Amino acid sequence: MQQSGHNGGAAAAPVVLGLHIGGSKTHAVLSGAEDDAGLEITEARANLSSVGHQGADAVLRRIAAIVGGGVEAVCAGAAGADTPASRAVLSALLAEHFPGARIDVVHDTRIILAAAGLEAGVVLVAGTGSVAWGRNREGREARSGGYGYLLGDEGGGYSVVRDAVREALREYYAGLEPGPLVQSLMAATASVDALQLMDFFYAKPEPDHWAGLAPLVLDMANDGDPAALRIQAEAAHSLASLARQVLGELGLDLPLVMAGALLVNQSQLAAAVARKMSLEDPSLVRILSQSPVFGAVKLARQLIGQ
């Protein structure tokens, strides 16, 4: 858990809490005014689909203990908040820990659009997983992907590393010496060969564990490794396909916001996705420049009419 200081200069303003509950961590910002950086808290993940009800409850309890009382509104953007039932469970937990506050739970793509300062647009996220979501100027919404690592998430960090493990197995059964990418992956996992790497992959299936190695693969693509470049190209194709589907439903003139650790931190992957989009106006594509949690703070303020 990490914290930063609180700006107490706007204490008289209504206090709101924004939460970004991602696949690997929970980021919270308590804010007393629109220009207040507020209290920032980084906690363990509270994703219901990953840690269950008790795990999420424990994380939110710790955050509530740090934040204290007086919170008037809470907005949580949560990965995996796909159904009314899952949103209702998280809303109930938040209401328990922040009594009297107005509560809203949305999918985390919604807070990214708000963090980009947009009311209409398409969000493409590539972190542990992948998803595209958008809303047009008429208020119609569309979504593609975000089904989790067992059913989709192509182009996300887990998918990138899974493809690298497949490359290791391909080389092994072709009787080839491990290439530079596979050697790096085996070194990072203390694997003696591709078969042990496969055993490790099945023994520890948690997506965020393997997604943490995606930068290794993409950094090697940046260095020109052929196998890593193939994997990066496939990831870019998958991500662009998600965005194109949503833009096709909502309007090709909408801005596209790219977010998530892979797109924010891996400029070559982001550039490859942008090229594959083939949009008439390249200026419509942007990289999210601030943390998604500040979109949750903005939506929390809207709950109290600010």
Side-chain angles (χ1 to χ4, degrees), residues 14-107:
V15 175
V16 303
L17 180 69
L19 293 167
H20 180 205
I21 303 173
S24 59
K25 67 180 179 181
T26 297
H27 188 190
V29 168
L30 183 74
S31 177
E34 288 191 33
D35 59 351
D36 178 16
L39 171 69
E40 288 196 44
I41 306 163
T42 301
E43 261 284 1
R45 58 183 172 174
N47 192 314
L48 285 168
S49 62
S50 300
V51 301
H53 185 282
Q54 288 187 333
D57 181 64
V59 172
L60 295 175
R61 184 183 303 112
R62 288 195 295 270
I63 292 174
I66 295 168
V67 166
V71 176
E72 297 196 21
V74 180
C75 176
D82 300 312
T83 65
S86 64
R87 290 191 290 272
V89 170
L90 186 52
S91 293
L93 285 175
L94 290 168
E96 178 182 342
H97 293 297
F98 302 98
R102 296 188 181 185
I103 306 291
D104 191 22
V105 175
V106 298
H107 194 270

Side-chain angles (χ1 to χ4, degrees), residues 158-186 193-195 197-198 201 216-217 220 225-232 234:
Y158 176 83
S159 172
V160 164
V161 177
R162 181 183 59 198
D163 285 350
V165 175
R166 287 172 173 163
E167 173 65 18
L169 292 166
R170 184 194 71 78
E171 293 177 6
Y172 180 86
Y173 283 112
L176 302 173
E177 288 295 319
L181 171 63
V182 174
Q183 290 178 32
S184 295
L185 189 59
M186 289 194 302
D193 59 22
L195 297 184
L197 176 61
M198 179 176 68
F201 195 79
L216 179 153
V217 180
M220 294 200 69
D225 179 81
L229 282 168
R230 289 195 299 272
I231 293 170
Q232 179 179 261
E234 182 62 30

